[in-house]
């Protein structure tokens, strides 16, 4: 009886022992970041220690690598962990290199079991700079001034002519809030942009038109009233369309980082703050007409000073954007260019005249990138805000360069290629004025009359 039981008990004991061994061989580990975050954060050039507490049932070897050495470096070499000393706390020395969000990879070797440690997120911040804060608030003041100025130019007796019919406005708004976000989403996938860069491109693509499109519409002899009207309409419509587009297109890019989730309340709040200056400008225009002249005299030099401060401090403060990867530069260069071309195509399909079609193209392609930059800085935490801001800043820079080149070419062509035609037109106009003045004074009405007056013997037959 006992003999048979012994034969049955032996496999059962071996099975229980195996289960115990497997349970004992389970691998446990925790990362201690020194705070409550589930990621490790440090500044550029800073060296910090990340603690890894590990429990194993056998001796193993750990090695650490960075997913991008240009983002951060791991200064700790291989580490041996002995089972008899478990749990063991391993100190991983990490040095920040450049603004980024990357992964720490931990490889385990030397054991019989297949242990795994998931990649751990490491965020590298830019060192704090007061210049960056000044630049952000200077941009905000700049935007407020530009919106007040826009309000003082909203003469609805003139603007209402653009609504009869509103073909240009409708085409522009549809392109701005339907076509451009879709284009930004497509370019994000085409260039395999990082999550932060993709959100920056889409955010810029959902922004309304800005002052830069108004400026270029003047320089290129376009329809300034239409440009101003479209900018005003898109600014108001952005209160609803920006959050909607961000909800539609940015969700997939924020799945792995909750700090990339769209702060809808903060964005709508900032948009409302920007609509108020437009209302102030409109009140000044209709309630205090003389104040428009005063505002223009005061606002222009004040805005000039703010722009100088913004550019003078902004370029050194935001120099990191020039070190952006090639794919970000390409997307920033192509986005406004493609947007303008598509806007022009749809405007021509809508049978708008040349000046109106080019105006629509400018409004569609030239988004308010500085608004996007300001909104990102005030709504997102670091380093996400800095990584997102790269795209709007580069788009603003590239748009300024592209627009300046186009304007320069237009001015040169207009000056040299059409100079003779303009001179002929001026000669004709001067001759017409001379003849009309002669008619009013009872002078000669035709060339024949001119000849008869200078020569009494002259006849038409001669």
């Amino acid at each position: 009886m006992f003999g048979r039981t012994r034969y049955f008990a032996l496999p059962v004991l071996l099975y229980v022992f195996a289960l115990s061994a497997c349970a004992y061989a389970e691998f446990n580990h925790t990362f201690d970041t020194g705070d409550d975050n589930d990621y490790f954060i440090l500044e550029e050039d800073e060296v910090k220690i990340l603690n890894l507490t590990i429990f194993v049932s056998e001796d193993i070897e750990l090695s650490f690598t960075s997913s991008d050495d240009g983002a951060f470096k791991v200064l700790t070499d291989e580490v041996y962990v002995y089972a008899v000393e478990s749990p063991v706390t391993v100190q991983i020395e990490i040095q920040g290199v450049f603004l980024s969000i990357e992964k720490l990879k931990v490889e385990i070797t030397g054991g019989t079991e297949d242990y795994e440690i998931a990649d751990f997120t490491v965020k590298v911040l830019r060192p704090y700079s007061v210049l960056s804060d000044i630049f952000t608030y200077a941009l905000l003041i700049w935007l407020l001034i530009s919106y007040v100025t826009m309000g003082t130019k909203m003469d609805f007796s003139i603007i209402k002519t653009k609504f009869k019919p509103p073909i240009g406005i409708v085409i522009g708004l549809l392109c701005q809030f339907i076509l451009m976000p879709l284009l930004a989403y497509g370019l994000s996938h085409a260039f395999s942009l990082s999550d932060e860069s993709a959100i920056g491109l889409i955010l810029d693509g959902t922004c309304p038109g800005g002052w830069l499109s108004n400026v270029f519409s003047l320089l290129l002899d376009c329809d300034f009233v239409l440009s101003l009207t479209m900018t005003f309409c898109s600014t108001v419509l952005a209160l609803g369309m920006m959050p909607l587009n961000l909800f539609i297109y940015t969700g997939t890019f924020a799945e792995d980082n909750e700090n990339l989730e769209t702060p809808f309340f903060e964005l709508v709040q900032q948009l409302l703050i920007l609509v108020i200056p437009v209302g102030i400008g409109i009140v000044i225009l209709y309630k205090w007409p003389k104040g428009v002249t005063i505002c223009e005299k005061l606002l222009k030099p004040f805005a000039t000073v703010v722009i100088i401060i913004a550019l003078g401090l902004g370029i050194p403060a935001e120099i990191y954007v020039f070190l952006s990867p090639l794919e970000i530069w390409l997307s920033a260069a192509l986005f406004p260019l493609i947007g303008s071309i598509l806007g022009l195509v749809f405007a021509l399909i809508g049978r708008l005249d040349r000046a109106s079609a080019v105006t629509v193209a400018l409004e569609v392609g030239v988004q308010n990138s500085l608004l996007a930059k300001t909104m990102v800085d005030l709504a997102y935490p670091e380093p996400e805000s800095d990584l997102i801001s790269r795209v709007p800043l580069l788009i603003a820079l590239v748009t300024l360069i592209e627009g300046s080149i186009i304007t320069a070419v237009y001015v040169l062509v207009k000056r040299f290629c059409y100079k003779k035609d303009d001179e002929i037109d001026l000669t004709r106009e001067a001759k017409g004025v001379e003849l009309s003045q002669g008619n009013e004074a009872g002078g000669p009405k035709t060339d024949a009359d001119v000849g008869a007056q200078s020569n009494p013997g002259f006849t038409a037959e001669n």
Side-chain angles (χ1 to χ4, degrees), residues 420-461:
K420 293 183 179 180
D421 294 340
D422 292 340
E423 290 176 350
I424 293 173
D425 292 338
L426 289 174
T427 302
R428 290 174 177 173
E429 290 177 3
K431 186 175 181 181
V433 170
E434 182 181 350
L435 292 175
S436 64
Q437 290 176 348
N439 292 338
E440 293 176 359
K445 298 180 180 180
T446 65
D447 291 341
D449 294 333
V450 173
Q453 190 178 56
S454 60
N455 183 7
F458 177 85
T459 61
E461 287 76 5

Side-chain angles (χ1 to χ4, degrees), residues 104-149:
L104 171 68
K105 298 179 178 293
V106 182
E107 184 178 0
I108 301 175
T109 59
T112 58
E113 297 292 335
D114 185 17
Y115 301 117
E116 290 185 1
I117 295 180
D119 296 343
F120 194 72
T121 301
V122 176
K123 299 183 179 183
V124 182
L125 302 174
R126 288 193 299 150
Y128 172 74
S129 172
V130 67
L131 292 181
S132 295
D133 289 343
I134 295 176
F135 178 58
T136 298
Y137 289 105
L139 284 182
L140 182 59
I141 296 173
W142 184 357
L143 287 170
L144 294 175
I145 292 173
S146 66
Y147 277 99
V148 170
T149 304

Side-chain angles (χ1 to χ4, degrees), residues 147 176 208-215 227 231 234 363 366-368:
Y147 277 99
Q176 276 186 305
W211 65 273
L212 195 56
S213 61
N214 305 145
V215 171
S227 176
T231 300
S234 64
E363 282 295 318
V366 184
Q367 308 291 82
N368 199 337

